[in-house]
Amino acid sequence: MSNYPSASPAVATKLTHPDGSPIRVLAVDDEPSLTDLMKMALKYEGWDVRTAASGEQALNVVRDFRPDVVILDIMLPDLDGMSVLQRLRTAGDDVPVLFLTAKDSLDDRIAGLTAGGDDYVTKPFSLEEVVARLRGLIRRTALTAPAADSVITVGDLTLDEDSYEVSRAGQQIDLTATEFELLRFLMRNPRRVLSKAQILDRVWSYEFDGKASVVELYISYLRKKIDNGRTPMIHTVRGAGYMLKAAD
């Protein structure tokens, strides 16, 4: 139990939907003691929390509850977390997913992100860390109150932080939560070289064990969606990082 301490009472500003309704969170794990602790910590944030102990149960709860974010254990008694996520994505559900797992190899982490997950926490972890990661995902998906000057434009590429819409030359582009946050960071810094370390710190809000491969992976995802068949906007500056600039 000591591996999963309760959240600190000194929490940050509570996040809600723009209409004041609570953020909806689904926590999926087959350890009742762990889901109970997560539920307690997340309710302290003011969020509406449901739990599930299996993959099938999680899919049923998603259909009925329509969560804003999902905490998903990879090792489940029926469907594993990867299979649950695959079914969600196949059904067109792009709900942000934070993976939980006892596995700690880089390959497992990359596999989770490649499958469409948005972030990753390895057991044992602190509940404070889980809450912080969830707050980051929630902010990325524009679930909370809109900010001023929400539209960013670089050349023919436009990103709306309020509606979570991205388009290039008038053609809509669908992005995951992490892809959106990465693109936003690049677009807010046009013609500026951003190092992998800067991107890790800004987009993932923590060092991914110092592994830059996750940045390379998501840059490749963005290129396929933003630059595919068009004049490239995302450029690699060898030995320095990445830069986004308007197409010539």
Side-chain angles (χ1 to χ4, degrees):
M1 190 72 69
S2 60
N3 286 333
Y4 308 107
S6 59
S8 166
V11 297
T13 303
K14 294 187 184 299
L15 298 180
T16 66
H17 289 111
D19 63 3
S21 61
I23 299 296
R24 299 182 300 276
V25 184
L26 170 61
V28 186
D29 197 289
D30 61 344
E31 297 180 50
S33 60
L34 180 53
T35 51
D36 287 347
L37 282 172
M38 287 194 291
K39 186 173 184 178
M40 176 187 66
L42 301 178
K43 280 185 171 294
Y44 193 82
E45 291 286 313
W47 299 339
D48 186 1
V49 185
R50 304 283 175 86
T51 63
S54 69
E56 289 291 354
Q57 186 181 2
L59 291 171
N60 290 332
V61 174
V62 167
R63 283 191 289 269
D64 296 336
F65 184 47
R66 306 307 303 170
D68 296 309
V69 65
V70 176
I71 308 170
L72 182 60
D73 188 22
I74 287 184
M75 301 301 292
L76 294 170
D78 50 358
L79 294 174
D80 61 32
M82 298 289 191
S83 298
V84 172
L85 180 60
Q86 183 179 32
R87 291 198 185 185
L88 291 174
R89 297 296 185 250
T90 300
D93 193 329
D94 60 356
V95 60
V97 170
L98 173 67
F99 272 127
L100 301 180
T101 183
K103 298 179 180 179
D104 59 3
S105 76
L106 178 62
D107 288 345
D108 289 326
R109 300 183 191 200
I110 296 297
L113 295 173
T114 303
D118 297 281
D119 207 342
Y120 208 107
V121 174
T122 302
K123 297 178 181 178
F125 51 80
S126 70
L127 290 178
E128 289 89 346
E129 180 184 15
V130 171
V131 170
R133 299 283 183 86
L134 289 177
R135 290 175 68 88
L137 286 179
I138 290 165
R139 288 193 180 98
R140 291 177 208 172
T141 52
L143 291 170
T144 52
D149 302 324
S150 63
V151 177
I152 309 171
T153 301
V154 178
D156 61 354
L157 181 64
T158 300
L159 179 149
D160 191 321
E161 296 177 299
D162 286 358
S163 65
Y164 204 59
E165 293 176 331
V166 174
S167 64
R168 183 167 181 190
Q171 182 176 352
Q172 185 172 337
I173 300 170
D174 295 325
L175 301 179
T176 67
T178 302
E179 291 167 351
F180 182 89
E181 185 65 15
L182 174 57
L183 181 62
R184 172 161 53 183
F185 186 41
L186 292 171
M187 291 183 70
R188 283 203 172 277
N189 296 275
R191 304 189 68 86
R192 176 185 174 190
V193 178
L194 301 172
S195 70
K196 293 175 182 178
Q198 287 175 305
I199 294 172
L200 278 171
D201 182 66
R202 174 60 181 84
V203 177
W204 281 269
S205 300
Y206 66 102
E207 291 188 5
F208 200 86
D209 282 356
K211 303 296 184 181
S213 53
V214 69
V215 177
E216 298 168 5
L217 182 68
Y218 272 83
I219 286 289
S220 71
Y221 289 165
L222 268 189
R223 280 180 166 144
K224 290 176 182 177
K225 296 183 178 183
I226 300 299
D227 290 341
N228 187 30
R230 307 178 178 96
T231 302
M233 294 184 68
I234 302 172
H235 302 271
T236 299
V237 180
R238 190 172 299 278
Y242 301 98
M243 176 178 64
L244 182 141
K245 63 179 181 178
D248 297 331

